[in-house]
Amino acid sequence: MTILRAAWLSNIGSVRKENEDRVLFSEAAQLFGVADGVGGLPGGSEAAQKTTDVITAAVLEAGPEAELDLQAIVTAANEAVAMLGQRISPSSGIGSTLTLGCVRGGKMKLAHVGDSRAYSWRGGEIACLTEDHTVENEARRRRARGEVVYYSEAQRGALTRCIGQTIPPEVDLSDVPILAGDRFVFCTDGVTRLVFEREMREIIGKPHDPAEIARILVELALQRGGPDNATVAAVIIDSP
């Protein structure tokens, strides 16, 4: 099994009355990530909690050596959240983002829906491993295909995919080969909207302790006003 160190930290922020972020964190399953209840809908914390519960249970049940079908696991989480939404908010439903990584076979296996993010750091360089599923990015993709698309400024950051949809969302899946010294960070948008990527590169690369990485990123978001819940899970690969 891959030797790694990991830690997480979450803060309600300075404005919100409830922390609707949740963390996927199981060192036994080598599963890490974040889920963020969708703003503007009721039941955000319930949606994020159900998402993390279903996925964690499925990965633990599969065992540490199993080849994971993350598409099926995320689809099951979506169905569970959609059913919960029918009970607690039948008129509008509930939703959550999901960005996770699970170490298997010398790779970080990623699954992503929404606008939380995953970053990798290697040899001083940082890469964002996910793309935000927002109206703005969807419009950009469609315009690249030659379509004419309009949206209002107020809509640009609205999600086009989330966990809890009645029609299962498309899940972005990818595998990232891992090397000793690699670092991975999973963040909700309460962090990524306030911390520049160049700052992220420096912060992730300096400490040798994942708990310190998480602490610095969350504290920086709070120093900049903390308008949203801020959550980070950080992983350092010691031996793949």
Side-chain angles (χ1 to χ4, degrees):
M1 181 178 287
T2 298
I3 300 172
L4 55 79
R5 290 168 290 140
W8 66 274
L9 183 64
S10 185
N11 192 287
I12 193 173
S14 303
V15 176
R16 304 291 189 186
K17 295 181 179 179
E18 182 180 5
N19 192 341
E20 297 188 337
D21 288 355
R22 296 294 186 270
V23 180
L24 288 142
F25 193 89
S26 172
E27 291 180 292
Q30 301 203 325
L31 170 68
F32 311 98
V34 294
D36 179 2
V38 174
L41 293 177
S45 58
E46 289 88 346
Q49 187 67 57
K50 177 63 74 172
T51 298
T52 58
D53 287 349
V54 171
I55 288 174
T56 301
V59 174
L60 285 171
E61 182 179 1
E65 303 301 326
E67 183 65 29
L68 296 175
D69 185 349
L70 287 180
Q71 176 69 57
I73 291 172
V74 175
T75 298
N78 182 80
E79 182 178 355
V81 174
M83 291 178 63
L84 179 62
Q86 290 174 7
R87 295 203 304 270
I88 67 176
S89 179
S91 61
S92 58
I94 61 176
S96 175
T97 72
L98 171 65
T99 304
L100 70 84
C102 192
V103 179
R104 287 290 189 281
K107 298 176 182 178
M108 181 70 80
K109 301 180 70 67
L110 299 168
H112 169 67
V113 177
D115 65 352
S116 298
R117 293 182 185 175
Y119 293 89
S120 66
W121 181 98
R122 175 183 291 172
E125 297 300 322
I126 193 170
C128 185
L129 303 174
T130 54
E131 179 175 308
D132 296 350
H133 298 145
T134 60
V135 168
E136 181 179 29
N137 283 343
E138 178 65 23
R140 185 181 297 116
R141 286 192 294 270
R142 292 174 62 185
R143 286 169 179 165
R145 298 196 298 263
E147 299 179 41
V148 178
V149 181
Y150 299 98
Y151 63 89
S152 70
E153 184 66 19
Q155 292 178 311
R156 63 182 301 197
L159 293 181
T160 56
R161 304 183 210 173
C162 71
I163 301 298
Q165 296 177 198
T166 53
I167 299 175
E170 180 182 352
V171 182
D172 290 349
L173 301 170
S174 59
D175 291 350
V176 179
I178 56 176
L179 298 175
D182 284 354
R183 299 172 179 214
F184 294 88
V185 167
F186 303 87
C187 307
T188 58
D189 66 348
V191 174
T192 59
R193 291 185 180 185
L194 296 171
V195 181
F196 294 110
E197 194 166 293
R198 65 177 183 274
E199 296 175 311
M200 193 89 66
R201 182 184 68 241
E202 295 178 3
I203 292 167
I204 296 172
K206 283 184 178 178
H208 295 291
D209 178 12
E212 187 71 359
I213 294 172
R215 183 190 66 79
I216 293 172
L217 287 171
V218 170
E219 286 188 356
L220 185 55
L222 296 176
Q223 290 167 12
R224 294 176 176 174
D228 200 354
N229 310 146
T231 301
V232 173
V235 182
I236 297 178
I237 306 295
D238 290 322
S239 173

